[in-house]
Amino acid sequence: IVHRLADAMIAEVVVVSDCDDDDAVVSSSASSAATVLAVDCRQEYCQPQVAFLANGALLLRINALLLENGGHLRNAQELKSFPKDTIRHGLWLVNDLETPRLKPVDVMSGEEHGTYDCCNGSYGRLGVAEGFRIDRTRTRIVVTARRIGTNTITYSDDLFQLQLGEAGTLEAKPVGTEIESGKGCKIAVAIGETSVVYHHRSPTETGDLWMSGFGTSRKKARLTETMPLSLRRKLLTPREVTISNHANSLPIHAQIFKPEGEGPLQPLLWLHGGPMAQFSFDYNPLLVWLASCGYLVMAPNFSGSTGNGLDFMNRVLADGCGVTDLSDCLACANYLKTEAVKLEPRLDNSRGVAVGGHSWGGYLAFMCMLQQEQNGESVFGCGIAAAGITDWFVQQRHTEVRYYDHALMGGWVYEKEVAARARDVSPITKATELRAPILILHGEDDIDV
């Protein structure tokens, strides 16, 4: 059982013994034992997943905290006493439920846990349930994976098959789907003896089923084609860029959408919600539509985003909230003002850079619009803030996701040291510093933000 705690970040993996053999229902007797096998310390990065294999071993996809003695955290109450950089994302095996030890499953040959993701992320509905898949013999697994944390960051996936061997180990091999369906987001749907059916999405694909063969059985076929041609003709393939921010050590991944044709393009920085979400190399119709209106649209994965490792996501927590993510947005604005014209000569910066976003993106749009250049002028020419946080004290009081906001702010706003931080990163505190027009979109009955 995966048991989510009253904390946005933490879940427990629990095994419950003493089942009733007659009807396979867990016994309610006092003798029924529940044991915590492991703690997922960052479930907002990706949802935990567990499954038994044919040999009785347990396969887990969790974000585990590793201990110096070779063990792992099993008591969630002790999490705060450990440094957060000891948490590792990946697939793990537990061979003995009585004395559980996490054994890393090497999905990418030669790569360590924490240097690749074993999950698929998207800003919006995926169209299919995300997670690894197991065949009916429970000896073969197919999982999504992508490399993270390098200077050539990509938000495009591939699939890897894991074969359970006689010694109880899992041998990994790439399926090689990029050759068939191209770059994009891939999720396994069903596994046969010689092939896997998977769901594929990309900036030019709304989502369809493909089939790929294992090993020398290179069956490949597009099984469905559901997107109208009229829509296909309107979609754009973005350019992926990596942006350096000298204030932060890790680079920023961004996609740039631009329309075909002639005429000047206005720069627009569009920010995703979350913040623990991502703009994958995925179907993003809003970004394409904005580009078709005459904008060069940059969609960054700023600090706090998922898809580029736990360290990158963790940077937005506590004293990084509204600070490191804002710093990345300013680095993106500077890129649009200085470097982007080298990629697109049609770029017109004469009216400045626009910024917009929804939810957390709306919050960051507020924060961006309050930033000034050394001469006192606004960093951004105009902005759009939809459903954005303006006051952290109001936010924590009324939100429906209170524990999520507790994790972001690193505590409750009525705590002394947290209150000072919350005040500094509340847009309402610096509202008088607004120097350019902003469009605010907000539901009248929306008290969550």
Side-chain angles (χ1 to χ4, degrees), residues 68-302:
E68 292 182 356
N69 62 6
H72 61 279
L73 184 69
R74 296 174 61 188
N75 185 347
Q77 301 300 321
E78 299 176 357
L79 177 58
K80 291 184 178 180
S81 61
F82 292 94
K84 57 189 178 183
D85 60 0
T86 56
I87 302 172
R88 289 289 178 269
H89 164 79
L91 289 186
W92 314 83
L93 273 179
V94 172
N95 291 309
D96 186 352
L97 300 184
E98 297 294 328
T99 56
R101 305 277 285 191
L102 292 181
K103 180 182 178 181
V105 177
D106 296 326
V107 176
M108 288 187 168
S109 178
E111 301 285 345
E112 297 181 355
H113 268 46
T115 62
Y116 57 88
D117 273 358
C118 292
C119 57
N120 174 283
S122 175
Y123 187 55
R125 296 182 179 179
L126 299 174
V128 64
E130 189 270 337
F132 60 74
R133 295 289 180 271
I134 300 181
D135 73 350
R136 60 188 178 90
T137 67
R138 308 195 80 78
T139 59
R140 176 178 283 160
I141 303 98
V142 176
V143 62
T144 299
R146 69 165 75 136
R147 285 183 173 83
I148 60 172
T150 67
N151 289 327
T152 54
I153 309 168
T154 179
Y155 273 67
S156 180
D157 306 324
D158 204 348
L159 296 179
F160 291 77
Q161 63 163 317
L162 305 172
Q163 184 66 48
L164 182 64
E166 295 183 0
T169 58
L170 288 172
E171 180 183 357
K173 294 180 181 179
V175 177
T177 56
E178 188 169 310
I179 300 174
E180 301 154 4
S181 53
K183 291 178 61 176
C185 299
K186 302 171 177 29
I187 300 175
V189 175
I191 306 173
E193 293 183 4
T194 61
S195 59
V196 56
V197 174
Y198 63 96
H199 187 263
H200 168 78
R201 306 181 316 280
S202 76
T204 57
E205 295 282 351
T206 57
D208 275 299
L209 296 178
W210 292 67
M211 183 171 65
S212 179
F214 297 127
T216 56
S217 177
R218 297 303 297 173
K219 294 180 180 179
K220 57 181 181 180
R222 181 178 187 137
L223 303 180
T224 65
E225 190 159 356
T226 59
M227 184 169 59
L229 284 175
S230 57
L231 176 58
R232 184 182 298 279
R233 295 189 184 103
K234 297 176 182 178
L235 298 180
L236 302 170
T237 300
R239 177 165 184 164
E240 294 184 277
V241 296
T242 302
I243 300 168
S244 298
N245 180 4
H246 299 299
N248 294 327
S249 57
L250 296 174
I252 310 156
H253 170 273
Q255 297 177 59
I256 294 179
F257 292 79
K258 57 182 182 177
E260 298 178 355
E262 300 178 354
L265 300 177
Q266 308 297 320
L268 169 62
L269 181 66
W270 193 262
L271 309 172
H272 67 67
M276 297 166 192
Q278 59 185 268
F279 278 135
S280 297
F281 198 77
D282 198 355
Y283 175 59
N284 291 300
L286 173 62
L287 303 179
V288 173
W289 177 76
L290 288 169
S292 71
C293 294
Y295 296 101
L296 182 142
V297 183
M298 173 180 282
N301 288 303
F302 45 79

Side-chain angles (χ1 to χ4, degrees), residues 368-390:
C368 285
M369 289 301 297
L370 299 173
Q371 307 307 306
Q372 299 177 16
E373 304 280 10
Q374 291 183 349
N375 61 6
E377 295 183 358
S378 177
V379 172
F380 292 88
C382 63
I384 302 173
I389 299 169
T390 57

Side-chain angles (χ1 to χ4, degrees), residues 40 71 213 265 359 388:
D40 189 321
L265 300 177
S359 191

Side-chain angles (χ1 to χ4, degrees), residues 246-430:
H246 299 299
N248 294 327
S249 57
L250 296 174
I252 310 156
H253 170 273
Q255 297 177 59
I256 294 179
F257 292 79
K258 57 182 182 177
E260 298 178 355
E262 300 178 354
L265 300 177
Q266 308 297 320
L268 169 62
L269 181 66
W270 193 262
L271 309 172
H272 67 67
M276 297 166 192
Q278 59 185 268
F279 278 135
S280 297
F281 198 77
D282 198 355
Y283 175 59
N284 291 300
L286 173 62
L287 303 179
V288 173
W289 177 76
L290 288 169
S292 71
C293 294
Y295 296 101
L296 182 142
V297 183
M298 173 180 282
N301 288 303
F302 45 79
S303 290
S305 302
T306 56
N308 193 27
L310 288 173
D311 290 343
F312 194 76
M313 186 189 81
N314 286 336
R315 286 169 52 173
V316 80
L317 302 179
D319 56 3
C321 182
V323 177
T324 57
D325 44 0
L326 173 61
S327 177
D328 285 349
C329 293
L330 297 178
C332 290
N334 182 65
Y335 181 92
L336 288 171
K337 293 177 181 179
T338 59
E339 299 294 323
V341 70
K342 299 176 183 177
L343 302 177
E344 179 48 71
R346 293 177 293 166
L347 185 61
D348 177 11
N349 276 306
S350 62
R351 299 170 63 188
V353 176
V355 61
H358 177 264
S359 191
W360 194 264
Y363 165 64
L364 284 179
F366 276 126
M367 294 294 288
C368 285
M369 289 301 297
L370 299 173
Q371 307 307 306
Q372 299 177 16
E373 304 280 10
Q374 291 183 349
N375 61 6
E377 295 183 358
S378 177
V379 172
F380 292 88
C382 63
I384 302 173
I389 299 169
T390 57
D391 188 334
W392 273 100
F393 294 87
V394 174
Q395 169 71 8
Q396 278 201 355
R397 187 181 305 122
H398 294 291
T399 182
E400 296 176 355
V401 287
R402 186 164 287 111
Y403 285 98
Y404 187 75
D405 287 349
H406 175 272
L408 283 169
M409 189 49 62
W412 302 114
V413 293
Y414 52 75
E415 298 170 0
K416 184 177 180 180
E417 62 179 43
V418 178
R421 183 164 66 240
R423 199 170 291 110
D424 286 341
V425 295
S426 291
I428 197 79
T429 304
K430 303 176 181 178

Side-chain angles (χ1 to χ4, degrees), residues 1-16 34-43 47-50 60-62 74-77:
I1 298 171
V2 174
H3 172 224
R4 184 166 183 163
L5 303 184
D7 185 306
M9 295 295 163
I10 306 174
E12 296 173 333
V13 178
V14 181
V15 60
V16 182
T35 304
V36 178
L37 295 182
V39 174
D40 189 321
C41 304
R42 286 291 183 270
Q43 65 168 341
Q47 293 297 311
Q49 187 181 7
V50 296
L60 306 91
R61 183 187 70 178
I62 61 172
R74 296 174 61 188
N75 185 347
Q77 301 300 321

